């Protein structure tokens, strides 16, 4: 079995493994939930910042505002 196929297989099995751990009790469920929040929130925030950084050269600094003429 090749490494990429084992990796894909483990990705498919992963949600089931997390569900097994979360269903063992209320504390385990909370730990899985907080772990997902501690990983997911920074991931979304970093993705938002990265998207803004990638798009900033293509967007105007202000939409429709004109500089005053001297």
């Amino acid at each position: 079995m090749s490494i990429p196929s084992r990796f894909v297989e483990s990705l498919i099995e992963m949600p089931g493994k997390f569900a097994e751990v979360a269903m063992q009790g209320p504390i385990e469920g909370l730990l899985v939930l907080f772990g997902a929040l501690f990983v997911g929130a920074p991931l979304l925030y970093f993705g938002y910042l990265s998207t803004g950084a990638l798009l900033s050269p293509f967007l105007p600094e202000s939409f429709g505002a004109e500089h005053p003429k001297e």
Side-chain angles (χ1 to χ4, degrees):
M1 200 178 230
S2 67
I3 292 175
S5 64
R6 287 192 315 190
F7 179 71
V8 170
E9 183 180 326
S10 69
L11 285 177
I12 294 170
E13 292 176 359
M14 185 174 53
K17 301 284 185 181
F18 277 109
E20 286 177 18
V21 172
M23 294 298 169
Q24 288 181 1
I27 299 296
E28 290 83 357
L30 283 174
L31 287 173
V32 170
L33 176 66
F34 278 111
L37 287 175
F38 287 146
V39 171
L43 180 70
L44 290 174
Y45 185 67
F46 182 71
Y48 172 74
L49 290 178
S50 298
T51 303
L54 289 173
L55 294 178
S56 68
F58 305 110
L59 297 175
E61 289 188 28
S62 62
F63 293 100
E66 295 182 16
H67 295 287
K69 297 181 181 179
E70 294 183 20

